[in-house]
């Protein structure tokens, strides 16, 4: 059977068009930056997800990671995504709040009383948080619950008054953390996550909040000697891909990527809790002093959370819609009280 007739140049053009049509489904490489060091549970799971995606898409989607901050701090990574040098990144909620402020909703100081509350609120609000990320121009591949952050220091901090003399680090761009500490009468020092260890060495800062596993992963525990045993905030990490890059991937392949990373983040949430529990034991064995606040001090810290929340609302730090969703979820869980 003859498919083409006519002049040779016309037949050649037709064949070329068919070849181009067959090449419309091209391989997509997603270059993603993260500050997480290689070898951590986060990176192991991220690589496992990438391997599964490559296999199940027959190589049409490949994910390449740049761990350990080699692509710069969060602001630098966001700029590189904007110009197409990268297609995505892994950010803390505070870092991503520069472009999607509602993503920080879980990190409000002293918001949650326990992990059960975290799980129940996230079940109601994760969809809304993801929608806010999409509105900012990114596709969220997953939200990771990193666990509770605790305030750690080179000095023995026990109360809000002690904190006023400390040199406290906050993540660069983390408006909620800045507001919380300023409410407590502290002028915090904003730095990129990658600069914290060096700043602890030089004395630029002497206090920082992190999860127990995070403090060990970034080696901060070698400098920090005291920890207040009161959850300061709940840490979340978000893996995002630029919407333009995401839209270039075939719809069926996007479904594969989404499914694989949903499984990755489910495993990460479970692993993070195990790691944090083990890390707390490791910190104690390494000689870190864990201070349980006295009743009055505990109430003083919690009052700080309430004051910060009210000030955040006044300043429009989260959208009214997200505020309503959060308060409704907590009221349902707590029987009407926040």
């Amino acid at each position: 059977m003859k498919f083409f007739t006519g002049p040779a140049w016309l037949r050649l053009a037709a064949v070329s068009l068919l070849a181009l049509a067959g090449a419309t489904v091209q391989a997509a490489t997603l270059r993603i930056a993260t500050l997480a060091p290689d070898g951590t549970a986060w990176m192991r799971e991220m690589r496992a997800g990438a391997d599964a995606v490559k296999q199940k898409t027959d190589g049409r989607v490949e994910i390449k990671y740049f761990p350990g901050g080699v692509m710069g701090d969060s602001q630098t990574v966001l700029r590189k995504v904007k110009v197409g040098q990268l297609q995505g990144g892994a950010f803390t909620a505070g870092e991503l709040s520069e472009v999607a402020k509602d993503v920080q909703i879980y990190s409000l100081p002293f918001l949650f009383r326990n992990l059960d509350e975290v799980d129940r609120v996230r079940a109601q609000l994760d969809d809304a948080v993801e929608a806010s990320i999409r509105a900012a121009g990114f596709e969220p591949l997953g939200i990771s619950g990193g666990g509770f952050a605790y305030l750690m220091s080179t000095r023995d901090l026990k109360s809000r008054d002690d904190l006023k003399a400390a040199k406290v680090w906050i993540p660069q761009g983390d408006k909620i953390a800045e507001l919380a500490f300023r409410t407590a009468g502290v002028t915090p020092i904003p730095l990129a996550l990658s600069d914290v260890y060096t700043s602890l060495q030089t004395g630029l800062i002497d206090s920082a909040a992190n999860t127990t596993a995070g403090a060990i992963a970034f080696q901060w525990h070698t400098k920090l000697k005291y920890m207040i045993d009161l959850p300061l905030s709940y840490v979340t990490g978000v893996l995002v891909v630029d919407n333009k890059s995401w839209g270039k991937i075939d719809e069926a392949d996007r479904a594969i990527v989404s499914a694989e990373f949903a499984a990755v983040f489910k495993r990460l949430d479970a692993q993070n809790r195990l790691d944090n529990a083990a890390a707390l034991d490791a910190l104690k064995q390494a000689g870190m002093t864990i201070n349980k606040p006295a009743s009055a001090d505990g109430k003083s810290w919690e009052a700080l959370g309430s004051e910060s929340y009210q000030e955040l609302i006044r300043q429009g730090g989260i959208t009214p819609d997200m505020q309503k969703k959060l308060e409704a979820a907590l009221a349902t869980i707590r029987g009407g009280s926040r």
Side-chain angles (χ1 to χ4, degrees):
M1 180 183 294
K2 292 184 178 180
F3 290 94
F4 305 105
T5 59
W9 67 266
L10 184 59
R11 293 197 301 273
L12 181 60
V15 171
S16 298
L17 285 172
L18 280 177
L20 286 173
T24 54
V25 181
Q26 298 178 0
T29 299
L30 302 177
R31 295 181 291 273
I32 295 176
T34 174
L35 289 177
D38 228 342
T40 58
W42 171 279
M43 285 310 305
R44 288 195 300 272
E45 287 293 350
M46 290 298 104
R47 294 193 189 284
D51 289 344
V53 164
K54 185 175 182 179
Q55 179 183 5
K56 293 186 178 182
T57 62
D58 294 324
R60 291 186 300 275
V61 180
E62 185 171 0
I63 301 173
K64 182 177 181 180
Y65 296 109
F66 297 88
V70 296
M71 282 291 178
D73 61 21
S74 60
Q75 293 178 334
T76 302
V77 170
L78 285 170
R79 286 196 297 269
K80 289 181 177 180
V81 171
K82 186 175 182 179
V83 300
Q85 187 176 346
L86 294 168
Q87 284 68 54
F91 303 94
T92 64
E95 291 167 341
L96 196 60
S97 67
E98 292 189 37
V99 294
K101 60 184 177 182
D102 279 347
V103 74
Q104 243 189 144
I105 192 69
Y106 302 133
S107 301
L108 298 174
F110 305 105
L111 175 65
F112 296 112
R113 297 171 180 170
N114 50 56
L115 288 172
D116 179 63
E117 284 193 350
V118 172
D119 291 340
R120 294 172 68 182
V121 169
R122 283 194 59 187
Q124 297 182 54
L125 266 64
D126 266 10
D127 285 348
V129 171
E130 290 177 355
S132 73
I133 295 171
R134 291 189 181 98
F138 295 94
E139 176 63 25
L141 297 187
I143 300 173
S144 171
F148 286 120
Y150 297 86
L151 188 61
M152 305 177 197
S153 183
T154 61
R155 59 173 69 198
D156 193 1
L157 302 179
K158 293 181 179 177
S159 68
R160 286 177 64 176
D161 288 337
D162 294 337
L163 188 64
K164 292 177 182 178
K167 295 180 284 187
V168 184
W169 166 75
I170 59 169
Q172 204 169 48
D174 191 332
K175 302 302 183 185
I176 288 181
E178 180 179 4
L179 177 62
F181 284 112
R182 289 191 181 278
T183 301
V186 178
T187 301
I189 300 172
L191 296 168
L193 187 65
S194 56
D195 293 333
V196 173
Y197 181 80
T198 302
S199 299
L200 286 169
Q201 284 182 310
T202 62
L204 176 63
I205 59 173
D206 59 25
S207 305
N210 204 340
T211 63
T212 53
I216 291 177
F218 290 104
Q219 295 295 298
W220 299 359
H221 71 296
T222 62
K223 305 300 175 186
L224 300 168
K225 302 305 178 185
Y226 300 90
M227 185 184 97
I228 299 176
D229 189 13
L230 184 68
L232 177 63
S233 65
Y234 188 74
V235 176
T236 54
V238 188
L239 183 67
V240 299
V241 173
D242 172 60
N243 274 349
K244 292 180 181 178
S245 303
W246 183 248
K248 293 176 182 177
I249 300 173
D250 180 75
E251 184 177 356
D253 287 341
R254 290 201 302 266
I256 291 172
V257 176
S258 295
E260 288 303 319
F261 277 89
V264 163
F265 278 84
K266 185 176 181 179
R267 295 194 301 269
L268 267 176
D269 278 357
Q271 187 61 50
N272 285 340
R273 295 189 180 186
L274 294 174
D275 289 348
N276 280 320
L280 179 58
D281 290 337
L283 291 176
K284 292 176 181 177
Q285 292 175 14
M288 181 174 283
T289 300
I290 313 295
N291 289 320
K292 186 72 176 177
S295 178
D297 288 332
K299 290 179 180 178
S300 177
W301 286 111
E302 289 170 4
L304 170 61
S306 178
E307 293 164 21
S308 301
Y309 180 76
Q310 295 304 322
E311 182 62 20
L312 179 72
I313 299 305
R314 189 187 71 78
Q315 294 186 14
I318 57 175
T319 63
D321 182 58
M322 186 61 78
Q323 177 194 352
K324 290 177 184 177
K325 285 182 170 66
L326 172 64
E327 293 178 354
L330 286 172
T332 298
I333 292 168
R334 296 174 180 173
S337 62
R338 182 182 176 273

